[in-house]
């Protein structure tokens, strides 16, 4: 497909820091020449990037998430290949080509009264591209690991997975926010509301929702749709300790894992992590690793999406790629 940049060893060589006596992840991952190659590939996991921040900007956020994918290439490809990580079990597919949309977004004026709506039109174009690629990956019986980009891409992913399986799927979202805003122009804050409306999402669980940044209207909506939407509060888990982390995992699993489900991780949920909406209060990176490790081992887990990383922001700039690499390694770890 013309909107997919497929990678080869030539694309990744510049990232790999080789060292005598060591083998890096980038030296052992698999590649394919085209999408059809996935059908004959032994690897289970497919790594895909979406380098864009248009969805964040169309949600009145600041740019930066487009840079997370390259940061991950620097981090992930230099992980050590050893007995604990099965690096041959992952295909580095490449990235969604967002160049045209990113250039068009740059040409728009923020003074235009329809600025965010025009950005939303570009987001819809990326939605289409993402859904087609994800549909192909899942139809090839692979587990996609998608690195964003904004959380707007959850819509295209859910669309693609649902289309491949020919049924709506469930989702567990590690996030400070619901991203369940109104059905207006497409942006990073309404991917799940659109997915539910369009029949791609069945049950939706928000893990660690922050009460300070959730409008009452959304809490009211969740009550109305309580058979399909549920949540645990971050404050109940990590502040008031009304719910242990393990109990929260079990709660989300009980609600969501009876059907194929996606795993979503928004880096906004991790304390002081470089992201589009940095939070001084949140889970630790180790909590996020625990979350990903736990759910990725469930037989009904169908994909992992890590989004909203902004490498130049946060308490430790340029650590986003390393943080995301830790999360990816939890999925492909040999245990």
């Amino acid at each position: 497909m013309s909107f997919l940049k497929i990678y080869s060893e030539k694309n990744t060589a510049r990232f790999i820091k080789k060292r005598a006596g060591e083998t890096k992840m980038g030296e052992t991952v698999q590649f394919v020449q085209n999408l059809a190659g996935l059908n004959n590939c032994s690897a289970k996991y497919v790594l895909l990037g979406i380098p864009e921040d248009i969805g964040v900007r169309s949600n009145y956020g600041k740019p930066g998430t487009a840079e997370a994918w390259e940061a991950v290439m620097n981090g992930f490809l230099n992980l050590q290949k050893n007995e604990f990580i099965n690096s041959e079990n992952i295909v580095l597919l490449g990235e969604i080509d967002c160049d045209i949309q990113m250039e068009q977004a740059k040409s728009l004026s923020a003074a235009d009264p329809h600025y965010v709506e025009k950005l939303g039109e570009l987001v819809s174009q990326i939605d289409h591209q993402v859904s087609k690629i994800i549909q192909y990956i899942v139809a090839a019986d692979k587990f996609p690991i998608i690195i964003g980009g904004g959380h707007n891409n959850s819509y295209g992913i859910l669309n693609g997975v649902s289309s491949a399986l020919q049924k709506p799927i469930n989702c567990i979202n590690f996030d400070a926010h619901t991203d369940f805003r109104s059905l207006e122009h497409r942006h990073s804050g309404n991917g799940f509301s659109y997915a539910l409306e369009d029949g791609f999402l069945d049950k939706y669980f928000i893990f660690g929702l922050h009460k300070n940044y959730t409008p009452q209207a959304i809490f009211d909506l969740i009550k109305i749709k309580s058979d399909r939407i549920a949540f645990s509060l971050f404050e109940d888990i990590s502040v008031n300790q009304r719910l242990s982390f393990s109990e929260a995992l079990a709660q989300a699993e009980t609600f969501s894992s009876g059907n194929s489900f996606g795993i979503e991780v928004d880096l906004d949920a991790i304390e002081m992590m470089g992201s589009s909406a940095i939070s001084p209060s949140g889970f630790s990176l180790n909590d996020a690793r625990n979350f990903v490790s736990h759910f990725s081992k469930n037989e009904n887990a169908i994909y992992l999406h890590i989004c909203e990383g902004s490498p130049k922001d946060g308490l430790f700039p340029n650590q986003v790629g390393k943080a995301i690499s830790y999360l990816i390694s939890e999925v492909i770890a040999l245990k």
Side-chain angles (χ1 to χ4, degrees):
M1 297 182 182
S2 59
F3 44 78
L4 174 66
K5 297 180 182 179
I6 294 180
Y7 281 13
S8 67
E9 290 89 341
K10 292 181 180 179
N11 300 102
T12 59
R14 66 187 177 95
F15 296 109
I16 303 170
K17 300 174 179 66
K18 295 184 179 182
R19 190 168 182 173
E22 299 178 1
T23 303
K24 301 293 182 68
M25 187 75 67
E27 298 176 83
T28 57
V29 294
Q30 295 194 44
F31 296 92
V32 292
Q33 293 184 337
N34 49 50
L35 278 174
L38 292 175
N39 296 298
N40 302 313
C41 181
S42 61
K44 175 182 179 180
Y45 302 102
V46 177
L47 187 58
L48 175 70
I50 313 177
E52 62 80 35
D53 53 25
I54 305 170
V56 173
R57 283 186 272 169
S58 64
N59 193 26
Y60 304 98
K62 61 180 182 178
T65 61
E67 299 171 12
W69 172 242
E70 182 161 329
V72 169
M73 290 294 93
N74 273 306
F76 179 73
L77 295 178
N78 285 295
L79 295 182
Q80 297 286 348
K81 183 225 175 343
N82 56 42
E83 63 186 275
F84 298 104
I85 299 178
N86 187 359
S87 55
E88 292 88 353
N89 203 23
I90 190 164
V91 175
L92 177 49
L93 180 59
E95 65 182 79
I96 301 290
D97 188 348
C98 304
D99 291 350
I100 293 175
Q101 289 82 9
M102 289 289 286
E103 284 300 316
Q104 291 177 345
K106 288 180 183 178
S107 69
L108 297 175
S109 170
D112 185 333
H114 300 291
Y115 174 66
V116 291
E117 288 84 358
K118 290 179 179 179
L119 288 174
E121 293 173 3
L122 298 175
V123 173
S124 294
Q125 294 176 21
I126 295 174
D127 285 342
H128 173 74
Q129 297 174 188
V130 171
S131 66
K132 291 299 182 185
I133 299 300
I134 296 298
Q135 181 177 355
Y136 201 105
I137 294 171
V138 175
D141 199 27
K142 305 299 182 185
F143 185 110
I145 299 173
I146 309 106
I147 310 302
H151 221 157
N152 44 290
N153 294 304
S154 61
Y155 175 80
I157 295 167
L158 289 164
N159 182 342
V161 175
S162 175
S163 298
L165 300 181
Q166 298 187 328
K167 65 174 184 178
I169 68 165
N170 298 343
C171 187
I172 304 173
N173 182 21
F174 185 91
D175 201 342
H177 316 98
T178 64
D179 291 341
F180 209 82
R181 292 186 178 276
S182 60
L183 303 174
E184 49 188 3
H185 65 277
R186 281 285 294 114
H187 56 66
S188 62
N190 59 18
F192 296 103
S193 42
Y194 265 102
L196 189 74
E197 176 72 15
D198 292 345
F200 307 130
L201 177 61
D202 185 14
K203 289 187 175 182
Y204 176 42
F205 193 97
I206 308 100
F207 187 99
L209 180 64
H210 284 216
K211 62 183 180 182
N212 288 1
Y213 294 97
T214 305
Q216 184 59 46
I218 289 183
F219 281 124
D220 292 340
L221 178 62
I222 291 174
K223 290 175 184 177
I224 294 171
K225 296 182 178 291
S226 60
D227 59 328
R228 299 185 67 184
I229 308 174
F231 65 91
S232 58
L233 285 175
F234 168 76
E235 289 79 9
D236 284 347
I237 301 169
S238 296
V239 180
N240 303 316
Q241 299 179 338
R242 295 170 181 161
L243 190 68
S244 72
F245 197 87
S246 295
E247 288 170 338
L249 290 174
Q251 188 182 82
E253 194 160 25
T254 298
F255 187 81
S256 308
S257 66
N259 183 20
S260 299
F261 69 93
I263 306 165
E264 297 269 345
V265 176
D266 188 320
L267 295 190
D268 292 348
I270 301 174
E271 183 175 327
M272 297 308 297
M273 179 58 64
S275 66
S276 62
I278 301 169
S279 176
S281 178
F283 289 118
S284 69
L285 177 59
N286 286 343
D287 289 332
R289 292 179 68 179
N290 187 349
F291 175 89
V292 170
S293 177
H294 179 85
F295 285 112
S296 65
K297 302 306 181 285
N298 188 294
E299 63 180 5
N300 284 332
I302 199 77
Y303 75 82
L304 170 65
H305 176 211
I306 305 170
C307 60
E308 300 286 336
S310 185
K312 293 182 180 179
D313 297 309
L315 185 60
F316 303 106
N318 300 317
Q319 289 299 299
V320 167
K322 192 171 184 178
I324 294 175
S325 299
Y326 271 118
L327 296 175
I328 297 170
S329 70
E330 292 301 331
V331 181
I332 63 174
L334 289 169
K335 296 181 178 180

